[in-house]
Amino acid sequence: MKYRRLGRSGLKVSEVSLGSWLTYGASTENDKAIKTIETAYDLGINSFDTANVYAKGESEKVVGEALGKYRRDSYVLATKVFWPMGEGPNDRGLSRKHVFEQLHASLKRLKTDYVDIYYCHRYDPETPVDETLRTIDDLVRQGKILYAGVSEWTAQQIQEAIGTADKYLLDRIVVNQPNYSMLHRYIEDEVLPVSEQHGISQIVFSPLAQGLLTGKYSLSNRAPEGSRATDPKSNMHMNRLLTDEVLSKVEKLDGIAKELDISLSQLAIAWILRLPGIASTLVGATKPEQIIENAKGSDVTIPGDVLSQIEEILK
């Protein structure tokens, strides 16, 4: 496993990170989830991601249990705050109250004293950015958060966060977590340039486009048995991707992967890592075999002529 610096910070994260969205604490049995996390750790993956809202806290419990057996300084643990965790008016968003209370609830579920990265899971138009960043800065000073991040913020919102932090001498964000893959490239136009200008890395989620870039899906088999597409608990984001146009691209990309003697998922991960502004790709895995295969994407370098072929397919 290879490692990259996270933005302008000195923190190093594995090029492949393991996430828990839609899996741990929900659709995956706890024993299998823990074994998968252990396998990832053994492969050299040091970056593990979860969120308070994933399975309403159950995901954090599973991740905390699995990582509890390892030295705390040997891995990078991230969680998030924003989405509703209750029915009350203050049970959501990025207010000082919600951020403060949810961090402590997450620490309790994760059974740890601090998180390495704490993400603002979305931008909150109802809370001033300086209120949120000052709260995170306070928690950094208390040693409960080491690095601040945001997820799915626009370039303008990232710029606002940097300007606010600099104005009030608050801890700067060092990472953004966006959706990015061969099939979802919106960050290339504005988010990446602004982030690189300010020393912010990306740890991207959904690098395999909800599983479409695993080689399982094709025009002739849109919902393979046992795939996410057949699971109503985790397929809610897939319908817009299962089109003839997308699946045609996937089949062509799979052909390129076969020519390189690698899996389509490894090609997809290596393609993302071609960009220096991306520190890590955040993959999901429901069983050890999946993380073993995906981790190998860190070892793949795609030749320039093949990158050009891929670009033609993705147009």
Side-chain angles (χ1 to χ4, degrees):
M1 180 56 58
K2 299 174 185 175
Y3 303 86
R4 297 186 181 186
R5 279 182 59 197
L6 191 67
R8 59 185 294 198
S9 79
L11 182 66
K12 293 182 180 179
V13 294
S14 49
E15 289 188 340
V16 175
S17 298
L18 182 63
S20 55
W21 180 44
L22 300 177
T23 52
Y24 308 150
S27 62
T28 305
E29 295 175 1
N30 287 358
D31 289 347
K32 189 178 292 185
I34 290 171
K35 180 62 178 174
T36 303
I37 294 170
E38 292 172 343
T39 300
Y41 185 92
D42 291 342
L43 290 169
I45 290 173
N46 77 338
S47 176
F48 298 88
D49 181 276
T50 187
N52 61 346
V53 74
Y54 297 166
K56 281 290 191 273
E58 293 303 310
S59 174
E60 289 181 320
K61 291 179 182 178
V62 173
V63 171
E65 180 181 350
L67 294 175
K69 62 176 66 67
Y70 303 116
R71 286 192 355 253
R72 181 62 185 87
D73 60 355
S74 68
Y75 58 87
V76 175
L77 178 60
T79 193
K80 310 179 188 74
V81 61
F82 171 79
W83 295 108
M85 290 296 288
E87 298 300 323
N90 292 307
D91 290 337
R92 66 201 67 205
L94 297 178
S95 68
R96 172 176 285 271
K97 178 176 175 62
H98 189 62
V99 170
F100 182 88
E101 292 172 347
Q102 286 305 309
L103 174 67
H104 289 89
S106 290
L107 292 177
K108 184 176 181 180
R109 288 189 291 264
L110 290 164
K111 297 181 180 178
T112 186
D113 297 326
Y114 67 94
V115 291
D116 297 276
I117 303 171
Y118 200 45
Y119 288 100
C120 297
H121 209 163
R122 292 294 187 274
Y123 182 86
D124 183 1
E126 297 185 346
T127 302
V129 169
D130 63 291
E131 176 180 338
T132 301
L133 294 184
R134 194 176 296 280
T135 305
I136 289 175
D137 187 79
D138 289 343
L139 293 166
V140 168
R141 292 173 186 272
Q142 293 171 25
K144 296 173 182 177
I145 299 170
L146 300 189
Y147 300 94
V150 297
S151 178
E152 288 279 72
W153 283 32
T154 67
Q156 182 179 0
Q157 291 162 354
I158 290 171
Q159 186 75 55
E160 180 186 1
I162 291 297
T164 301
D166 289 351
K167 178 179 179 180
Y168 296 108
L169 301 181
L170 304 174
D171 204 65
R172 271 182 163 214
I173 62 173
V174 297
V175 60
N176 176 46
Q177 187 178 120
N179 184 341
Y180 183 63
S181 71
M182 288 175 163
L183 304 178
H184 195 70
R185 303 176 62 177
Y186 82 96
I187 66 170
E188 293 177 358
D189 292 336
E190 297 182 354
V191 171
L192 275 175
V194 166
S195 296
E196 290 175 6
Q197 177 186 349
H198 294 293
I200 297 169
S201 281
Q202 315 295 312
I203 294 182
V204 304
F205 71 88
S206 258
L208 304 182
Q210 300 295 305
L212 259 74
L213 296 171
T214 61
K216 295 178 184 176
Y217 300 88
S218 65
L219 286 165
S220 60
N221 194 3
R222 296 171 187 264
E225 185 177 352
S227 69
R228 179 174 292 181
T230 64
D231 184 358
K233 293 181 180 179
S234 59
N235 71 357
M236 70 286 290
H237 300 280
M238 292 195 68
N239 290 337
R240 63 181 178 80
L241 294 172
L242 291 171
T243 66
D244 288 352
E245 181 183 2
V246 170
L247 291 172
S248 178
K249 291 179 180 180
V250 169
E251 289 189 352
K252 292 174 182 177
L253 293 168
D254 194 35
I256 287 180
K258 287 181 169 62
E259 290 177 6
L260 295 175
D261 196 27
I262 59 176
S263 69
L264 179 54
S265 61
Q266 290 162 5
L267 179 71
I269 288 169
W271 179 86
I272 286 173
L273 293 172
R274 82 198 188 284
L275 297 175
I278 293 178
S280 185
T281 60
L282 183 58
V283 301
T286 57
K287 51 189 177 183
E289 294 81 5
Q290 291 176 335
I291 195 60
I292 290 171
E293 176 177 325
N294 292 337
K296 293 176 182 177
S298 176
D299 296 326
V300 175
T301 300
I302 305 174
D305 61 326
V306 177
L307 285 173
S308 297
Q309 293 177 45
I310 292 172
E311 196 63 34
E312 284 299 315
I313 291 170
L314 297 179
K315 281 183 178 179

